[in-house]
Amino acid sequence: MCKVCAVGETVMDPCARYAHRMSASDDPRRVHFQSPEYLVDRLDAIADLFDKDRTDLLVEAIREYIEETADSETFQELVATKYYDDQLDFETVKQLVGAESAQRLRLLKRDLEDEPLDLAAPDDIDIYDGKAATVDTDDER
């Protein structure tokens, strides 16, 4: 359950209907896993308390964990490192950190690999203010 849902029952219904519902493109997938019995018992007690289904609570807990993990700096750095080392492909990175961050990592990776980015040079700025200095690199000291 999210922090907003925990405030009270009046907020819980709109929160569940708008913020936490699966979109039409979210096809449910059956997952089977082993869990310590005491955790399942606690989960069932919480589900009974809130008059909810165990699955709904598990899905919400997983969603919150993923959101918190994906927002952490350590996670972002790990994804970037593995992407730069070609241990993750772009589509996986997009799933892990979102499309915008993944695109930023793709551009940075290309920059690190010295691949051209096909960006036009700005023509409205003179970064040398008309006074560019040159250096003779053949001159030995």
Side-chain angles (χ1 to χ4, degrees):
M1 170 175 14
C2 76
K3 293 171 184 97
V4 175
C5 289
V7 171
E9 198 169 312
T10 57
V11 177
M12 194 177 295
D13 183 49
C15 184
R17 280 190 286 131
Y18 298 111
H20 301 300
R21 69 176 176 215
M22 290 191 295
S23 72
S25 65
D26 289 340
D27 293 326
R29 179 186 289 179
R30 181 174 293 278
V31 177
H32 176 80
F33 62 92
Q34 299 293 319
S35 176
E37 187 175 345
Y38 78 94
L39 287 177
V40 175
D41 291 342
R42 288 184 75 190
L43 180 64
D44 287 342
I46 292 169
D48 288 342
L49 180 67
F50 288 107
D51 194 28
K52 287 189 158 226
D53 186 75
R54 177 196 305 164
T55 299
D56 293 339
L57 294 177
L58 285 171
V59 168
E60 183 58 32
I62 292 168
R63 182 181 289 117
E64 285 185 21
Y65 174 80
I66 290 172
E67 288 172 3
E68 288 176 17
T69 300
D71 287 343
S72 80
E73 188 174 324
T74 303
F75 180 80
Q76 298 277 336
E77 290 173 3
L78 179 61
V79 170
T81 300
K82 290 195 176 277
Y83 179 61
Y84 295 152
D85 291 341
D86 294 322
Q87 295 175 8
L88 292 175
D89 63 23
F90 180 74
E91 289 303 315
T92 303
V93 171
K94 212 161 66 168
Q95 281 290 324
L96 293 170
V97 298
E100 185 177 329
S101 293
Q103 187 64 19
R104 189 170 30 256
L105 291 175
R106 177 190 274 179
L107 291 172
L108 290 170
K109 183 177 181 180
R110 284 185 183 166
D111 191 37
L112 290 171
E113 294 172 345
D114 289 329
E115 291 182 21
L117 296 177
D118 288 335
L119 298 176
D123 55 0
D124 60 340
I125 299 172
D126 182 9
I127 61 172
Y128 297 109
D129 196 27
K131 303 172 192 152
T134 59
V135 176
D136 185 9
T137 57
D138 293 333
D139 190 20
E140 292 183 31
R141 292 181 184 225

